[in-house]
Amino acid sequence: MTDALRLRTDTLDRVPSLLPLMLRGAALSPLKRPRPGAVAPGRRLTVPALRVDQGHLAAYERVCAFPTGPSELPVTYPHVLGFPLSMSLMAERAFPLPLLGLVHTSIEITQHRPLAPADPYALTVAIPELRPHRRGTEAVVVTELTCGGETVWTSASTYLARHATGPAPAPADGTDAPDAAPSPLPGPVEWPLGGDLGRRYAAVSGDRNPIHLHPLTARLFGFPRAIAHGMWTVARCLAEHRARGPVRVRAAFRAPVLLPGTVAYAAEGPRFELRSARSGRLHLTGEVEPLAP
């Protein structure tokens, strides 16, 4: 967070509406040409007084299969609260990567204690770093939730903009580790996913990217059918894993989940994964690490 502390901070009275931000980002995308050496924007956004809406929380819990009415927020719920601020930064003219085509590639969440739904929170989002990737440029989006001046939850998401790059250095062991698929974990459990899943999660998250909503709109972006939101897949896995704070979660999104379809969830120790039940294609890998209180 050292770099983020040097960013210019804007304080907002409330979380902005997502749809205008997505439309603005889409309109500006054709004007942006991602390239090596792009610089992160010097701004972060803060909502200093945030209260959790109990109806929204219950709807999120239902669509992601978390228990409803618990005494603490699901581990992934603050991501939904911060997503409009992330979109606001990525939709700005000063953000050098086009919003259209950005791919969510990973997320790491650190929750330091259980989060009570009734507590007041402050929410801050920044993009402290753009870094080179073998397939383009990654934006690192950092979200922080504080309560009473104490940091209680943080996440770092990476979003990839694909573009031509120079030769990437080979890994030290001579392999291309990010593309290497691990062996399947034992004891998979199958989940049938309906064709309306993307629309149901969009109604809760506000992420109405057309690739998630309908086969016709998904085909405009090269997908044969609508695809599930990546954050729904990791939330659903953590609901099954029964992950609770204090905890650290790491997840990598490997391939899109087509809707409708059937996926297979499996876990062993701290590791979990999501695969296609039919082909075995790997969609998501992750791990859950309990932290000392």
Side-chain angles (χ1 to χ4, degrees), residues 118 128 183:
S183 300

Side-chain angles (χ1 to χ4, degrees), residues 223 227-228 254-258 281 283:
F223 296 97
I227 65 173
R254 307 292 291 266
V257 175
L258 296 176
R281 186 183 191 192
H283 297 299

Side-chain angles (χ1 to χ4, degrees), residues 51-74:
R51 291 279 186 176
V52 172
D53 180 278
Q54 297 299 320
H56 181 263
L57 172 60
Y60 178 84
E61 291 167 339
R62 285 193 297 269
V63 77
C64 297
F66 287 104
T68 56
S71 59
E72 63 183 86
L73 300 179

Side-chain angles (χ1 to χ4, degrees), residues 32-191:
K32 299 182 179 183
R33 296 291 183 268
R35 64 189 186 281
V39 179
R43 196 157 84 100
R44 62 177 181 166
L45 299 176
T46 297
V47 178
L50 180 69
R51 291 279 186 176
V52 172
D53 180 278
Q54 297 299 320
H56 181 263
L57 172 60
Y60 178 84
E61 291 167 339
R62 285 193 297 269
V63 77
C64 297
F66 287 104
T68 56
S71 59
E72 63 183 86
L73 300 179
V75 176
T76 48
Y77 186 67
H79 174 87
V80 174
L81 299 179
F83 187 65
L85 301 187
S86 303
M87 289 292 298
S88 185
L89 291 175
M90 292 189 286
E92 288 184 336
R93 187 178 297 273
F95 183 68
L97 307 179
L99 186 62
L100 289 180
L102 279 183
V103 179
H104 196 182
T105 53
S106 72
I107 186 167
E108 179 174 331
I109 296 171
T110 303
Q111 183 173 313
H112 299 281
R113 64 166 174 81
L115 306 179
D119 282 353
Y121 296 101
L123 181 69
T124 299
V125 176
I127 306 177
E129 182 184 5
L130 299 182
R131 62 193 185 196
H133 185 276
R134 70 192 188 285
R135 294 177 179 169
T137 299
E138 276 186 333
V140 181
V141 179
V142 175
T143 303
E144 180 182 41
L145 199 68
T146 61
C147 184
E150 174 194 6
T151 298
V152 294
W153 186 99
T154 59
S155 75
S157 281
T158 56
Y159 293 87
L160 173 65
R162 293 188 176 95
H163 60 80
T165 63
D173 62 0
T175 65
D176 191 5
D179 287 334
S183 300
L185 296 180
V189 178
E190 293 190 358
W191 300 333

